[in-house]
Amino acid sequence: MMADSSGDWCTIESDPGVFTSLIESFGVKNVELTELWSLDDDSLKTLTAPIEGVDNAAVHGLIFLFKWQRQSASATASLEGRGTPLTGDAVPDGLFFAQQTVQNACATQAILSVLFNARDAIVAQEGGESKDEGDDNGRRLVLGQTLSNFKDFTCHFPPDLRGEAIGSSDEIRKAHNKFGRSEDAFLSDPTKPKRMATDDDDVFHFIAYVPHEDGCVYELDGLQRGPIKVGDFNKDEADKEWIKVARDAIQARLSNYSPTEIKFNLMAIVQDRRTYLNERLNALAAIGIEENDPAMVHIQSELHAEEEKRAQWALENARRHHNYLPFCVELLRSLAGSGKMDGLMSKAKTRADEKRKRQQKS
């Protein structure tokens, strides 16, 4: 992670625990990220109907990570199922879009694109009070003071200035960089210019898919000049329908890659599972269901699993933040002092040679 004073943005891992913690560090409530391993209808249904008795859980947007291809920068409009980026008056009222103007910010920018376009989001006024009371049992996203102020400040900005505002925001950048690996700063020489990616490097990029009140689904890619409309959906079945439209757009993107390419990641920004689990628990209690009833026990176990998941996320994030370099240096020093280093290096070289030979034969 680069020093905060440098103005740089570090790369962060595509992980639901990282992204959920990042969102919550902004003061956002009632949301979390979950990974999607399949695009079939049953998998998509689990987003809006995650447990029995809940069939309208909120899904605010999708975050898609893919390996950037050079042709995608010059020929995006020619990809199947994709339109031309909308600019100027063609951009729908109320749709937040920002161009990416700083390197490595695409993950946070994609997340912000979803948060700022969340339907019926509860925003905060100066002083921390919400402009609207009631979060509909957690279905409504609570934006928090930091992002509410930023959205209000940039609401009339053009996309390029919104991108500049994101890149210049100390609050957003510091929150983002907090989830970079701390050893990154020790493995690079700050006195030398950063190495630019070459054609041989794998470069990855994040984009977002969101529904809008005009009944359309939009792809929000900070490297484009504007949002791209990817399809229409039935607003009466909003969450259940718009996800399928986004799914089709993602599948169209995937069709441009080799069938052997697997370096993708898809996450959904959804309602915090604990909110509807607690709602379901209260509903059962209200009709006189005892605590030892199997239905109550099942939901309580689900809640316990959610709390354990959050605790595991916190542990993994603490490990990401921790700088293991001093430990590694001390370990190497101890091995050298005990005379074991030469033998271990010889074994490592032998294994590396054997692996290289196996790869050459295959």
Side-chain angles (χ1 to χ4, degrees):
M1 182 176 66
M2 304 304 294
D4 288 330
S5 60
S6 70
D8 287 329
W9 292 59
C10 65
T11 57
I12 60 176
E13 185 177 348
S14 179
D15 178 84
V18 170
F19 286 178
T20 301
S21 298
L22 172 61
I23 286 175
E24 291 177 344
S25 73
F26 293 135
V28 177
K29 298 179 181 178
N30 294 343
V31 294
E32 65 178 57
L33 279 96
T34 185
E35 286 185 291
L36 276 170
W37 300 102
S38 174
L39 291 173
D40 61 83
D41 288 345
D42 288 340
S43 296
L44 298 184
K45 185 179 179 181
T46 60
L47 296 177
T48 56
I51 63 170
E52 183 179 356
V54 177
D55 62 359
N56 60 345
V59 183
H60 303 290
L62 301 179
I63 305 293
F64 182 49
L65 170 70
F66 59 95
K67 187 161 71 173
W68 185 85
Q69 294 177 321
R70 182 165 297 278
Q71 63 266 31
S72 65
S74 59
T76 50
S78 66
L79 295 179
E80 182 181 355
R82 289 168 55 82
T84 303
L86 304 176
T87 58
D89 294 337
V91 178
D93 291 339
L95 182 66
F96 184 96
F97 173 78
Q99 289 182 299
Q100 183 181 340
T101 62
V102 294
Q103 190 176 6
N104 296 333
C106 59
T108 293
Q109 189 148 331
I111 292 171
L112 294 178
S113 294
V114 174
L115 299 179
F116 288 147
N117 285 296
R119 290 166 293 168
D120 297 323
I122 299 176
V123 297
Q125 295 176 321
E126 288 295 336
E129 296 296 327
S130 295
K131 291 183 179 179
D132 199 348
E133 296 298 328
D135 64 0
D136 191 18
N137 292 312
R139 291 182 183 84
R140 297 181 63 189
L141 180 154
V142 179
L143 201 54
Q145 188 70 62
T146 297
L147 296 188
S148 293
N149 291 346
F150 184 89
K151 183 178 181 182
D152 183 63
F153 175 67
T154 61
C155 64
H156 298 297
F157 285 13
D160 57 340
L161 287 185
R162 284 177 177 171
E164 290 287 352
I166 291 173
S168 301
S169 171
D170 285 339
E171 288 180 298
I172 294 175
R173 177 173 51 80
K174 288 178 180 178
H176 170 102
N177 284 350
K178 192 179 297 182
F179 293 91
R181 294 186 181 276
S182 59
E183 62 264 28
D184 290 349
F186 296 92
L187 298 179
S188 59
D189 187 345
T191 65
K192 296 181 180 179
K194 289 186 176 181
R195 186 182 74 85
M196 299 301 293
T198 67
D199 291 341
D200 295 328
D201 292 318
D202 286 343
V203 179
F204 294 89
H205 184 53
F206 290 90
I207 60 176
Y209 291 90
V210 299
H212 189 56
E213 59 188 11
D214 63 356
C216 300
V217 178
Y218 293 92
E219 177 185 290
L220 305 180
D221 179 352
L223 298 182
Q224 298 298 321
R225 294 181 297 115
I228 297 174
K229 176 183 173 182
V230 298
D232 305 303
F233 67 95
N234 180 358
K235 290 192 287 185
D236 293 333
E237 298 288 337
D239 281 337
K240 298 176 182 178
E241 291 298 321
W242 83 259
I243 302 172
K244 295 180 181 178
V245 176
R247 181 264 310 275
D248 294 343
I250 292 170
Q251 287 179 327
R253 267 190 174 275
L254 294 175
S255 68
N256 291 278
Y257 291 83
S258 166
T260 59
E261 180 59 66
I262 60 172
K263 295 179 180 178
F264 303 100
N265 182 249
L266 179 62
M267 286 185 277
I269 296 184
V270 299
Q271 180 180 344
D272 186 337
R273 283 179 59 85
R274 296 172 299 180
T275 59
Y276 52 73
L277 286 170
N278 278 310
E279 179 186 4
R280 185 66 179 151
L281 203 64
N282 293 335
L284 291 176
I287 59 175
I289 302 297
E290 299 291 337
E291 285 192 8
N292 59 355
D293 185 272
M296 294 283 277
V297 171
H298 175 70
I299 296 175
Q300 288 168 347
S301 67
E302 289 277 334
L303 270 172
H304 180 68
E306 286 301 306
E307 296 299 341
E308 286 190 334
K309 179 182 74 176
R310 295 287 180 133
Q312 184 63 30
W313 282 352
L315 177 61
E316 291 171 355
N317 285 333
R319 289 171 175 167
R320 289 184 179 98
H321 299 163
H322 186 72
N323 175 25
Y324 290 93
L325 190 62
F327 165 76
C328 295
V329 171
E330 186 60 33
L331 176 61
L332 293 174
R333 183 182 291 116
S334 298
L335 290 172
S338 64
K340 297 179 180 179
M341 178 68 80
D342 290 342
L344 291 173
M345 289 183 64
S346 178
K347 290 180 180 179
K349 289 179 180 178
T350 300
R351 287 197 297 267
D353 290 340
E354 292 174 349
K355 181 177 179 181
R356 190 180 303 109
K357 291 176 181 178
R358 288 196 302 269
Q359 290 175 339
Q360 289 173 349
K361 289 180 180 180
S362 60

